[in-house]
Amino acid sequence: MAVDGKKWIRRFHPADEAPVRLACLPHAGGAASYFFPVSKALSPAVEVLAVQYPGRQDRRADPCIENLAELADLTAEALAPATDRPLALFGHSMGATLAYEVALRLEERGTAPVALFVSGRRAPSRHRAETVHERSDEGLVEELRRLSGTDTQMLDDPDILELVLPALRADYRAIETHRARPGLRVSCPVHALTGDADPKATPDEVQDWQHHTTGAFTMSVFPGGHFYLNDHQQEIAKIISSALVYGAPLGSV
């Protein structure tokens, strides 16, 4: 399939000499710009590629994708040219499951990622019956307030909500209707990160990511809820750079 990489990939801090790349995949309703601070923190040792899904920000005119497998196919295709250097994946929430699916696809192409960082998401085998995507607009906003991932003042602006809710609903439909293919594992090391008070993923549910890799598994638990990483960006950047730049075991700081 033909995918326009310029539409899908943002390089906020190009680093042509970096020995490794990190592709970052946003949460439901999120956008590539969420990872600007991560890109700044890791550059120039690691070149960060932030994935921009259709239907938001500068891709608002592109149809949203409501099927996670299709989104994984397209994302893997968009990232394929970046595998000329070692490539790791980082995904938060929906982006974690998507990163896992993308890793499987890249491995099938013979370009397995060197590491997979999964944040704020229970393991694919730990299914919950969730139907947020079927709620009214008010119900979607209520979910955003519950997770505290969006500026509350923004949620009171009807013009902004009109722009963000279609992508948010599509993303929730994609992740809530997705079922992982049983028995598949990535071969790269997996490092799971989570908040100790995340209502969407308990530490026990996150721990089960260990069953989705044949490589090493480590886990870091931070104080906080679903968007714990907003308050721990430096620590997370240090974990990533320690693993990707200095070859330290995942989780070492």
Side-chain angles (χ1 to χ4, degrees):
M1 68 190 78
V3 173
D4 184 353
K6 292 181 180 180
K7 276 192 169 187
W8 284 81
I9 307 299
R10 302 290 174 270
R11 288 178 170 86
F12 298 122
H13 303 91
D16 293 337
E17 303 303 317
V20 63
R21 292 181 169 122
L22 178 71
C24 294
L25 288 73
H27 52 280
S33 58
Y34 183 74
F35 292 108
F36 184 92
V38 174
S39 176
K40 184 177 181 180
L42 293 176
S43 180
V46 177
E47 184 176 48
V48 173
L49 313 178
V51 175
Q52 185 78 305
Y53 309 141
R56 64 215 69 206
Q57 292 187 338
D58 57 345
R59 297 198 65 189
R60 195 168 61 249
D62 295 336
C64 296
I65 297 175
E66 299 182 343
N67 181 287
L68 197 83
E70 179 185 354
L71 187 57
D73 289 341
L74 295 170
T75 303
E77 189 68 24
L79 287 173
T83 59
D84 61 335
R85 275 186 258 170
L87 177 71
L89 303 176
F90 181 102
H92 179 63
S93 193
M94 179 190 81
T97 302
L98 180 61
Y100 163 74
E101 292 289 344
V102 170
L104 290 172
R105 285 157 174 77
L106 291 178
E107 192 162 327
E108 289 168 358
R109 301 170 68 115
T111 54
V114 295
L116 173 61
F117 299 88
V118 289
S119 166
R121 184 68 187 174
R122 57 192 179 271
S125 53
R126 297 295 293 267
H127 174 67
R128 292 187 192 181
E130 295 177 315
T131 56
V132 174
H133 69 277
E134 296 179 355
R135 296 182 188 176
S136 64
D137 287 352
E138 292 75 14
L140 281 176
V141 172
E142 179 184 344
E143 179 72 2
L144 290 181
R145 293 187 191 278
R146 183 175 79 95
L147 298 178
S148 302
T150 307
D151 185 349
T152 302
Q153 191 173 19
M154 186 199 81
L155 298 178
D156 295 327
D157 187 326
D159 292 330
I160 293 178
L161 287 178
E162 184 179 358
L163 294 176
V164 303
L165 285 180
L168 181 69
R169 186 180 301 280
D171 289 351
Y172 266 101
R173 184 183 301 277
I175 188 59
E176 292 181 341
T177 59
H178 178 69
R179 300 294 180 269
R181 293 170 289 174
L184 295 184
R185 298 184 180 189
V186 297
S187 61
C188 64
V190 171
H191 184 67
L193 308 96
T194 191
D196 60 4
D198 188 345
K200 301 289 284 186
T202 67
D204 181 63
E205 289 174 314
V206 176
Q207 182 76 34
D208 274 0
W209 276 102
Q210 65 185 309
H211 303 305
H212 295 272
T213 178
T214 59
F217 173 80
T218 50
M219 179 172 164
S220 296
V221 180
F222 296 86
H226 190 59
F227 284 93
Y228 74 92
L229 67 176
N230 292 348
D231 299 319
H232 300 281
Q233 291 181 358
Q234 291 303 314
E235 298 101 310
I236 293 168
K238 193 170 183 181
I239 288 173
I240 294 170
S241 62
S242 294
L244 299 184
V245 178
Y246 303 110
L250 287 173
S252 298
V253 177

